[in-house]
Amino acid sequence: MNIDSKDILTDNFGRKHTYLRISLTEKCNLRCTYCMPADGIPLTAKKHLMTAEEIYKIATEFVRFGVTKIRLTGGEPMVRKDFPLILEQLASLPVEIGITTNGILADRHIPLLKENKINSITISIDSLQKHKFEKITRRNEFEKVWNTIQKFHKEGFKVKLNIVLIKNFNEDEIIDFINLTKDQDIIVRFIEFMPFDGNQWNMDKLVSLQEILDKVHYNFPLQLKRLTDLPNDTSKNYKIEGYKGSFSIISSVTNPFCDSCNRIRLTADGKLKNCLFSGNEFSILEPFRANKSISSIIQEALLHKFAARGGMDTSEKLKNPELHTKNRSMISIGG
Ligand code: SAM
Ligand code: SF4
């Protein structure tokens, strides 16, 4: 099949995919309950995972087809010993690079990030209270993560915090998180809890976009300001008038943003996923290792992309646990 390279990343709905999210590993040094199943996950044998060189070469193909932004995620991307090499190689491509990390190992890489012109970082922290942080991550690392956030801010990075909100767990901290934006120019991002294999999701645990906004309205009746979203933003963006930073809500469950989706995902074992919610996977690594062209596989993956949420387009489908188990757990997808 002869495919025009400029069309490879366009799906049946005309959406152009310019943003590649690469999971570097299925491993992690935390055990967040909403991400990692209680019994862990069977780890893929190392020989079936992408090497640093393969990541670079496959990413190069995507850039050739029009990708302009790459995010490194996981698992925890920084647990890979060759993280510096991977980053250096990808930074040589003409793309914007983002990193999502749990912050445990991040501060040691500040010089590396600066050398490679990375000036923003997304760090996950679901609670500002040590005991709750430990409960959700199953690890005693609150101080480390909190200090790292402060370090990155002092070093001049644009810091974004990811917070998965869960009913009766951390929803009472929404205003505490927003108050962090008063004196610090950071972005606090509230994420609706999403269903994946093994994460015990149900709708009752969800704190919705509307519930978050109601709480903020109640506390800041006159100061809540809606900001303009960027064209492919997954978040709805706000700030409190007079505060230095801002906050966002990522409402994949109650208000999905699939119409403007420009994302495609590559798992650590070299499978292409056309949507976070889709169980469909397309192997890239095997044909790549066999010296076959991967362009037709990329195009096939995109032509199978559903209009919304991997086919879970109604709330009934989203609530069906059988559909969650058709997908991987989040830790092995790469959020
Ligand atoms: N380990 C890194 C971290 O925690 O930031 C990167 C990988 S993690 C899978 C990426 C993001 O996905 C994190 O911000 C995490 O909170 C979010 N996440 C994981 N499981 C989720 C779920 N079930 N619903 C919503 N967000 C989730
Ligand atoms: Fe690890 Fe990130 Fe998943 Fe938490 S959310 S278990 S830190 S990959």
Side-chain angles (χ1 to χ4, degrees):
M1 193 176 11
N2 202 2
I3 306 162
D4 190 338
S5 64
K6 74 179 178 349
D7 294 331
I8 287 171
L9 298 174
T10 305
D11 71 7
N12 279 331
F13 305 93
R15 294 175 294 198
K16 291 195 188 309
H17 294 72
T18 52
Y19 184 2
L20 176 68
R21 298 174 69 101
I22 307 178
S23 172
L24 299 188
T25 176
E26 302 165 344
K27 291 188 182 158
C28 190
N29 39 13
L30 293 183
R31 294 283 181 279
C32 305
T33 55
Y34 50 75
C35 176
M36 170 95 87
D39 302 334
I41 55 158
L43 290 174
T44 306
K46 195 169 174 200
K47 62 178 183 201
H48 298 306
L49 297 175
M50 293 186 292
T51 63
E53 193 189 352
E54 286 167 340
I55 290 171
Y56 172 70
K57 287 187 172 162
I58 293 174
T60 305
E61 288 283 286
F62 277 91
V63 173
R64 204 160 66 77
F65 298 143
V67 158
T68 55
K69 183 171 175 186
I70 292 177
R71 177 164 296 274
L72 303 181
T73 177
E76 171 48 42
M78 295 186 186
V79 299
R80 261 188 86 140
K81 297 234 163 27
D82 54 1
F83 173 77
L85 174 65
I86 294 171
L87 180 65
E88 275 163 8
Q89 289 182 331
L90 293 177
S92 70
L93 295 171
V95 285
E96 179 191 340
I97 294 191
I99 301 168
T100 304
T101 172
N102 61 25
I104 307 279
L105 301 171
D107 58 345
R108 68 176 66 165
H109 293 306
I110 287 177
L112 170 83
L113 299 184
K114 286 188 170 175
E115 277 156 29
N116 288 286
K117 301 190 175 54
I118 311 286
N119 47 26
S120 110
I121 185 109
T122 302
I123 302 179
S124 303
I125 180 164
D126 302 309
S127 176
L128 298 172
Q129 300 172 23
K130 186 174 155 54
H131 69 285
K132 280 204 220 168
F133 179 93
E134 288 180 21
K135 192 163 179 204
I136 197 89
T137 62
R138 303 181 181 117
R139 290 291 183 272
N140 174 12
E141 295 282 8
F142 174 76
E143 273 93 6
K144 175 76 215 177
V145 176
W146 177 250
N147 292 338
T148 295
I149 291 168
Q150 297 307 317
K151 219 180 252 181
F152 270 90
H153 185 251
K154 279 203 195 88
E155 292 279 345
F157 283 79
K158 182 81 196 160
V159 175
K160 299 181 188 178
L161 304 185
N162 273 2
I163 301 123
V164 179
L165 285 176
I166 300 176
K167 260 281 156 59
N168 300 324
F169 177 70
N170 57 358
E171 61 178 326
D172 58 335
E173 295 189 60
I174 292 173
I175 302 303
D176 295 342
F177 273 109
I178 290 180
N179 282 337
L180 295 178
T181 68
K182 185 172 184 192
D183 299 319
Q184 293 188 323
D185 183 13
I186 60 173
I187 304 178
V188 160
R189 294 158 32 103
F190 299 113
I191 309 177
E192 286 182 349
F193 181 26
M194 296 181 273
F196 296 100
D197 189 28
N199 78 352
Q200 315 291 319
W201 181 90
N202 74 57
M203 202 67 185
D204 298 339
K205 293 183 185 168
L206 183 103
V207 184
S208 69
L209 168 95
Q210 196 51 53
E211 287 170 309
I212 300 167
L213 286 179
D214 287 349
K215 211 170 254 257
V216 181
H217 265 298
Y218 182 80
N219 283 272
F220 301 98
L222 301 172
Q223 296 141 281
L224 178 62
K225 189 175 164 206
R226 181 77 165 93
L227 300 175
T228 310
D229 304 329
L230 295 172
N232 298 106
D233 254 352
T234 53
S235 54
K236 298 181 173 52
N237 303 297
Y238 306 84
K239 77 179 278 135
I240 301 300
E241 205 82 67
Y243 282 21
K244 284 192 177 154
S246 62
F247 73 95
S248 310
I249 304 175
I250 300 169
S251 54
S252 328
V253 177
T254 65
N255 267 279
F257 29 79
C258 306
D259 289 355
S260 60
C261 181
N262 66 344
R263 296 157 176 234
I264 188 159
R265 297 178 141 79
L266 189 58
T267 61
D269 57 346
K271 306 277 192 321
L272 204 56
K273 282 180 81 72
N274 59 23
C275 172
L276 185 56
F277 288 103
S278 173
N280 285 342
E281 298 184 352
F282 300 81
S283 181
I284 291 281
L285 185 57
E286 280 167 31
F288 181 80
R289 283 183 177 172
N291 276 326
K292 292 187 183 149
S293 158
I294 57 172
S295 56
S296 57
I297 301 165
I298 297 173
Q299 192 172 60
E300 197 194 337
L302 281 165
L303 294 181
H304 278 82
K305 182 159 174 157
F306 285 92
R309 262 186 335 224
M312 291 197 286
D313 46 1
T314 61
S315 62
E316 282 64 40
K317 285 187 198 163
L318 196 74
K319 287 178 195 163
N320 179 355
E322 269 177 39
L323 294 177
H324 309 162
T325 55
K326 290 203 163 60
N327 198 359
R328 299 176 178 219
S329 54
M330 177 64 124
I331 184 116
S332 61
I333 300 174

